[in-house]
Amino acid sequence: GEDGLNSTSTGLAALALAIGGHDAEAAQARDWVLALQDACDTDTPGAIPFRPGDSDDDRGVEVMSTSQALLGLAGPGLAYLDAGTASGADPVTGCDDDPSGDFGDAAEAAATYLVGELADGSHLVVQDFPSDGATIDVLFALAAVEQGGDTIDTIFAWLSDRAAGYTQGAGFDADDAAYAGATAKLALAAIVAGQDPRGVGGIDLIAQLEARETTELPEVTLSCEVEEAAPGDEVSCTIAGLLGGETVDVLVELDATLLDEAVTADSSGSAAFVFTVPEDATEEDEATITVAGLGVEALADLGVAIAATPVSDEPDETDDTEDVEETEETDPVDEATDDQDVLPETGDQLSLAAGMGVASLLFGLVLVAVSRRRREVEHA
């Protein structure tokens, strides 16, 4: 909407927050989406409008907003969806048991609405046209609530028949056309449906993705200005090689948590943070830095050792008489070493779980579903 609030973005944000471990924020986002959901006493129980205040005249895309917002209500990330756990029966709203407006399960009610909107029980029609992408969202939604296994099979059969048109623009575009986003989304749908993505409608979707132009991402590194720090010291660290504007979580622990915050890279892909070593830290301690992002925990760990607490020199006893004949000269370098903590200036760089950039974020989810999480980003 004009104020930027909509159920699609909020629902997907709830999913991302839950994956990242931000449970309170995820619950807040889910509650906002649930407040929009049509109740049992409406004409479209279970539906989730795109934005607050949508009237009956401008809700033509609510099938799309419902399917995408539902993922935030259901919980599991796309990489973990598995239609093999879905029962064959379609979901039900529970409105027959409680017509007053309360659902037994909000996510299941949304899935029930979507199934009821399928044309021929196989696909969605958006603005008078069959929509492959929106139909895949319904497949994901049903897998998320573990219902409608038979409908998932029907949906995937319809998608398979249209694979060439959806991923290659067959019949309209050049013979060598291929679209990374559509290919990746259909490949993920195949994996969720328990089908082989290398043979969907006669197309090897994985090979088609791999043939798309990709860009190798720079190596992501974590470094601190020192390898060893004394109690009370401030330690500055830098993460380099991120995407411009990418946000990662930084956790610094030494018995207690010293720092727990998200940091965002600048346009060059660098992000900086600072933490302070507690005054009561000892040589037996070590500050452990953990960086995580993109829904993946523990992308990197780095330790900063704790130096011994500096010990000041005892003052020399001097004679108050003025007949002191010699004064020992002190080498300036030695003096600096004795009176100051001289710390290494450069910490070891630690490589994060950097990977190859791929044609799209969905391609990353395809690979994640096969071999669990890799750091992949969209580049189409």
Side-chain angles (χ1 to χ4, degrees), residues 158-170:
W158 182 84
L159 291 168
S160 297
D161 290 341
R162 296 169 56 87
Y166 179 50
T167 68
Q168 300 173 355

Side-chain angles (χ1 to χ4, degrees), residues 14-307:
L15 177 62
L17 288 166
I19 292 173
H22 301 280
D23 296 336
E25 293 84 353
Q28 185 178 7
R30 283 194 291 266
D31 288 344
W32 188 88
V33 171
L34 288 172
L36 298 180
Q37 188 173 30
D38 287 352
C40 283
D41 56 359
T42 65
D43 293 335
T44 52
I48 302 173
F50 179 66
R51 57 192 175 191
D54 276 357
S55 67
D56 292 340
D57 295 333
D58 57 7
R59 295 181 57 173
V61 294
E62 68 183 6
V63 287
M64 299 178 67
S65 60
T66 300
S67 60
Q68 293 180 27
L70 183 150
L71 294 176
L73 302 180
L78 292 176
Y80 297 99
L81 295 180
D82 181 4
T85 64
S87 68
D90 287 334
V92 295
T93 61
C95 290
D96 292 339
D97 299 328
D98 184 7
S100 64
D102 294 329
F103 301 123
D105 184 282
E108 188 171 336
T112 304
Y113 162 75
L114 290 171
V115 170
E117 292 296 312
L118 292 173
D120 299 326
S122 62
H123 63 281
L124 287 180
V125 175
V126 178
Q127 296 177 340
D128 299 326
F129 291 96
S131 174
D132 302 75
T135 301
I136 292 175
D137 289 337
V138 179
L139 188 155
F140 292 159
L142 291 172
V145 299
E146 299 183 340
Q147 300 281 344
D150 293 342
T151 299
I152 288 175
D153 291 341
T154 301
I155 288 173
F156 190 76
W158 182 84
L159 291 168
S160 297
D161 290 341
R162 296 169 56 87
Y166 179 50
T167 68
Q168 300 173 355
F172 299 96
D173 298 328
D175 292 340
D176 60 350
Y179 302 105
T183 304
K185 192 168 186 178
L186 184 55
L188 183 58
I191 293 172
V192 172
Q195 304 296 323
D196 183 4
R198 292 189 175 276
V200 178
I203 300 172
D204 184 336
L205 297 175
I206 303 302
Q208 185 163 287
L209 275 174
E210 292 174 340
R212 297 301 87 204
E213 181 181 355
T214 61
T215 299
E216 182 177 355
L217 294 175
E219 182 182 25
V220 180
T221 58
L222 167 66
S223 62
C224 294
E225 63 181 2
V226 296
E227 296 173 332
E228 188 177 63
D233 283 354
E234 284 193 348
V235 181
S236 298
C237 303
T238 301
I239 307 167
L242 298 171
L243 301 174
E246 181 178 356
T247 297
V248 292
D249 293 321
V250 175
L251 177 66
V252 183
E253 297 178 294
L254 193 158
D255 294 332
T257 297
L258 305 184
L259 183 71
D260 184 3
E261 65 180 27
V263 297
T264 301
D266 58 21
S267 59
S268 67
S270 295
F273 60 93
V274 177
F275 67 92
T276 302
V277 179
E279 294 287 352
D280 59 355
T282 69
E283 287 182 278
E284 286 74 30
D285 295 324
E286 182 180 65
T288 301
I289 306 168
T290 303
V291 176
L294 296 176
V296 184
E297 297 181 357
L299 286 177
D301 292 311
L302 180 65
V304 174
I306 307 304

